[in-house]
């Protein structure tokens, strides 16, 4: 097999060994998937124990930054050295970070150790998705992707419940210690059962460490500006302007370094190939629109509908029930009409569902937004999975890690942009409705102390208007994803079929040979 062709891992792992590897992948993904939800429930106990309330948001921002900016680096390393060493390294870093978090003595040390966790989380997310494509031929790939989606869905529901139990009956440090046995089992399964096939030796070239450092620095600076802008400091303040200016300068540095590199971390073909570029942009828009339900719906459910936090979480979690089911069934659709058309159908439905949210009656009943989320999950499952499977099927083994990392990276960047953009939109609407004195922070304080507001009805209506505006913005993001697919994506993805050395302009897996 040459550096680009073939399916790489085709036929490498079968039967019981492949089942053990799939179990290891699901356990590894569970480490990353459950992390943010379980940590969020323990924040009050952590702050009470360690202090550092003004900077506790970096528990999440630090992890997100580290996981996001390392995705392209790990993707390239997995293409160069293989998936197994990168995944093992990621798991070890995550477990090391977990153990150190449990030993943290103040908020600053805990944040630093969360960054170590994030360095491992980036390797886990990208490499697990890449291995899923390596292990299964195109026809069977939706099976493993649906299982991984189920991991995320289960984590979204189980994380808060498990975190609540741990913080209620034990010390908060156990939310990190429970990662150790799960990760140890995943590592043992990977080490014992994951045997990557021998490939024809190709010149590896020198690892682009200067490019990796430049990408890490550039991504870290720009994401810090987006995450903290409007929160820790004003958007037009000196810190924001300094960070954005530094980030733009580092973008130029990345371009110069990568152009000169023999094996760049972010190769130019990621953006020169229409299929990958279109999917990168479309999934970036997905990350953008996902901020609406994941960030703003719980606030809406508690302040407008008057639900308790657990019930508010359930309204959101129904989306995670329909998403993996829809993803698993999407293969029956794209086998008939292709990856692009299936994704177009999914995002079109998502756009309509998002536009339906502002039409809900005020104050309404809990089942109404729950139904919206159920339909949204079904639509997005039909949208995301065909694009991921489609891109992974257009590249050979030696490029699959880089291609997979690029689409995950763009989705994460979109989510970060969405948090900043929609946060500003929501704050603007609240401020206008409440006479210049409202913000998301004030809503959070009211939820903790309902008696602190003189006119709760006015606040509820303001929150309702703010969330309606956010969902309208999310619908615009869905429309942008739709336009991207219509205008940029090829009608048929150039799929590499099993045993072929080059792409074929056909994305219908029914014509693919069986594994």
């Amino acid at each position: 097999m040459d550096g680009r062709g073939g399916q790489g891992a085709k036929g490498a792992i079968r039967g019981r060994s492949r089942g053990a590897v799939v179990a290891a992948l699901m356990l590894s993904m569970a480490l990353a998937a459950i992390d943010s939800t379980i940590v969020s429930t323990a924040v009050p106990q952590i702050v009470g124990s360690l202090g550092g309330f003004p900077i506790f948001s970096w528990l999440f921002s630090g992890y997100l930054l580290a996981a996001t900016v390392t995705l392209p680096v790990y993707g390239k390393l997995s293409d160069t050295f293989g998936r197994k060493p990168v995944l093992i390294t990621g798991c070890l870093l995550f477990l090391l970070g977990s153990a150190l978090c449990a030993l943290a003595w103040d908020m600053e040390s805990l944040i630093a150790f969360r960054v170590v966790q994030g360095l491992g989380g980036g390797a886990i997310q990208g490499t697990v998705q890449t291995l899923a494509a390596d292990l299964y031929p195109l026809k069977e790939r939706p099976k493993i992707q649906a299982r991984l989606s189920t991991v995320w869905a289960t984590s979204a529901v189980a994380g808060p419940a498990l975190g609540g139990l741990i913080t209620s009956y034990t010390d908060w440090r156990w939310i990190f210690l429970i990662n150790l046995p799960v990760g140890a089992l995943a590592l043992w399964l990977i080490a014992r059962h994951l045997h990557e096939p021998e490939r024809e030796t190709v010149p590896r070239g020198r690892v682009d460490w200067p490019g990796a450092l430049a990408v890490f620095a550039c991504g870290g600076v720009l994401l810090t500006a987006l995450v903290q802008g409007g929160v820790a400091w004003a958007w037009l303040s000196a810190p924001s302007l300094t960070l954005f200016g530094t980030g733009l300068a580092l973008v130029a540095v990345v371009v110069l370094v990568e152009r000169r590199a023999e094996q760049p971390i972010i190769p130019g073909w990621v953006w020169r190939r229409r299929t990958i570029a279109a999917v990168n942009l479309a999934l970036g828009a997905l990350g953008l629109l996902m901020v609406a339900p994941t960030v703003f719906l719980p606030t809406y459910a508690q302040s407008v509908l008057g639900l308790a936090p657990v019930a508010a979480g359930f309204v959101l979690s129904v989306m995670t029930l329909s998403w993996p089911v829809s993803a698993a069934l999407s293969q029956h659709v794209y086998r008939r009409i292709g990856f692009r058309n299936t994704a177009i159908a999914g995002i079109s439905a998502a756009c309509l569902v998002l536009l339906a949210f502002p039409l809900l009656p005020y104050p309404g009943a809990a089942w109404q937004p729950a139904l919206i989320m159920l339909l949204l999950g079904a639509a997005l499952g039909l949208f995301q999975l065909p694009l991921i499977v489609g891109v992974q099927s257009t590249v050979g083994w030696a490029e699959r890690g880089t291609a997979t990392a690029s689409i995950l990276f763009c989705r994460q960047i979109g989510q970060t942009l969405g948090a900043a953009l929609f946060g500003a939109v929501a704050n603007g609407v609240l401020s206008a409705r409440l006479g210049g004195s409202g913000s998301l922070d004030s809503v959070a304080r009211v939820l903790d102390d309902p008696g602190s507001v003189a006119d709760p009805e006015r606040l509820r209506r303001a929150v309702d208007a703010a969330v309606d505006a956010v969902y309208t913005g999310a619908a615009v993001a869905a429309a942008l994803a739709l336009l991207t697919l219509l205008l940029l994506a090829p009608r048929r993805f150039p799929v590499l079929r099993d045993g072929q050395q080059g792409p074929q302009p056909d994305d219908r897996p029914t014509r693919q040979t069986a594994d």
Side-chain angles (χ1 to χ4, degrees):
M1 185 185 76
D2 65 16
R4 183 171 187 269
Q7 295 300 318
K10 176 179 179 285
I13 304 173
R14 297 186 182 278
R16 186 175 301 174
S17 292
R18 190 165 73 169
V21 173
V22 170
L25 297 185
M26 295 177 70
L27 287 172
S28 301
M29 186 64 83
L31 291 174
I34 205 170
D35 178 80
S36 60
T37 56
I38 194 172
V39 172
S40 63
T41 60
V43 166
Q45 288 78 9
I46 293 174
V47 172
S49 172
L50 302 180
F53 178 78
I55 59 172
F56 86 88
S57 63
W58 276 98
L59 290 176
F60 307 97
S61 300
Y63 180 93
L64 174 66
L65 291 172
T68 301
V69 300
T70 53
L71 274 169
V73 178
Y74 287 127
K76 184 62 179 180
L77 291 178
S78 74
D79 285 342
T80 303
F81 298 106
R83 325 297 189 211
K84 185 173 182 177
V86 173
L87 182 55
I88 288 177
T89 300
C91 288
L92 288 173
L93 278 173
F94 191 93
L95 296 181
L96 174 62
S98 298
L100 292 173
C101 284
L103 299 174
W105 53 90
D106 56 24
M107 185 62 73
E108 289 79 5
S109 63
L110 182 59
I111 290 170
F113 299 147
R114 285 281 289 163
V115 170
V116 176
Q117 267 192 314
L119 295 175
I124 291 171
Q125 290 183 52
T127 310
V128 166
Q129 290 283 0
T130 304
L131 271 168
D134 289 343
L135 290 174
Y136 285 83
L138 177 56
K139 185 172 65 173
E140 299 180 24
R141 215 161 281 164
K143 295 179 181 179
I144 180 62
Q145 291 289 355
R147 292 178 186 177
L148 296 178
S149 296
T150 302
V151 170
W152 284 97
T154 303
S155 299
V157 178
L162 183 58
L165 287 174
I166 290 174
T167 54
S168 297
Y169 296 102
T170 63
D171 189 85
W172 61 265
R173 298 175 190 273
W174 281 98
I175 67 173
F176 299 106
L177 291 175
I178 62 170
N179 291 332
L180 302 183
V182 176
L185 177 58
L187 277 172
W188 179 77
L189 290 172
I190 293 167
R192 176 163 182 167
H193 295 284
L194 177 56
H195 305 290
E196 296 186 86
E198 291 187 8
R199 301 175 302 278
E200 182 179 326
T201 302
V202 294
R204 285 179 175 173
R206 183 177 298 176
V207 176
D208 180 24
W209 294 117
L213 180 60
V215 169
F216 189 88
C218 178
V221 169
L222 288 176
L223 286 175
T224 300
L226 290 170
V227 169
Q228 294 300 304
V231 179
W233 47 70
W235 284 110
L236 297 179
S237 65
S240 276
L241 295 177
T242 300
L243 285 171
F244 279 118
T246 304
L248 292 177
L250 287 172
V251 169
V253 172
V254 169
V255 172
L256 290 174
V257 170
E258 294 298 80
R259 280 185 173 180
R260 296 178 179 180
E262 180 184 354
Q263 295 290 334
I265 292 295
I266 303 180
W269 58 260
V270 168
W271 293 104
R272 286 195 299 268
R273 297 180 193 173
R274 285 180 58 197
T275 302
I276 302 176
V279 171
N280 282 344
L281 294 174
L283 289 187
L286 171 65
L288 193 71
L289 72 87
M290 280 300 297
V291 172
T294 56
V295 175
F296 293 93
L297 185 62
T299 300
Y300 170 88
Q302 292 181 66
S303 59
V304 177
L305 303 181
L307 299 179
V310 174
F314 175 77
V315 172
L316 173 61
S317 67
V318 294
M319 179 178 67
T320 65
L321 301 177
S322 57
W323 191 317
V325 174
S326 174
L329 297 176
S330 67
Q331 60 175 314
H332 302 293
V333 182
Y334 69 65
R335 285 179 181 177
R336 292 179 177 274
I337 65 176
F339 294 124
R340 174 179 177 268
N341 290 338
T342 303
I344 286 174
I347 199 62
S348 299
C351 186
L352 295 176
V353 171
L354 290 165
L355 286 173
F357 190 93
L359 303 178
L360 294 179
Y362 174 87
W367 67 266
Q368 293 165 335
L371 177 60
I372 293 287
M373 291 303 99
L374 190 71
L375 296 174
L376 183 62
L380 294 179
L382 202 62
F383 167 69
Q384 178 181 256
L385 183 62
L387 294 182
I388 293 177
V389 173
V391 164
Q392 291 178 329
S393 303
T394 65
V395 293
W397 189 97
E399 294 178 339
R400 189 174 292 143
T402 299
T404 301
S406 74
I407 58 180
L408 296 179
F409 177 75
C410 288
R411 188 179 65 186
Q412 291 282 74
I413 292 294
Q415 194 164 350
T416 305
L417 284 171
L421 176 63
F422 292 144
V425 168
N427 280 331
V429 174
L430 286 171
S431 180
R433 291 296 186 105
L434 299 176
S437 61
S439 68
L440 292 175
D441 290 338
S442 65
V443 173
R445 289 193 295 270
V446 169
L447 292 176
D448 292 334
D449 183 14
S452 63
V453 61
D455 190 352
E457 178 62 19
R458 186 185 181 195
L459 178 63
R460 282 196 294 270
R461 287 191 175 275
V463 172
D464 180 65
V467 177
D468 285 349
V470 168
Y471 269 81
T472 302
V476 172
L480 291 175
L482 175 61
L483 286 175
T484 298
L485 294 177
L486 289 172
L487 299 178
L488 297 181
R491 290 182 178 274
R492 293 178 181 270
F493 283 19
V495 168
L496 281 171
R497 302 183 189 177
D498 292 345
Q500 291 180 326
Q501 301 299 311
Q504 300 294 318
D506 188 352
D507 60 0
R508 301 189 183 183
T510 50
R511 300 183 184 179
Q512 168 134 341
T513 57
D515 183 26

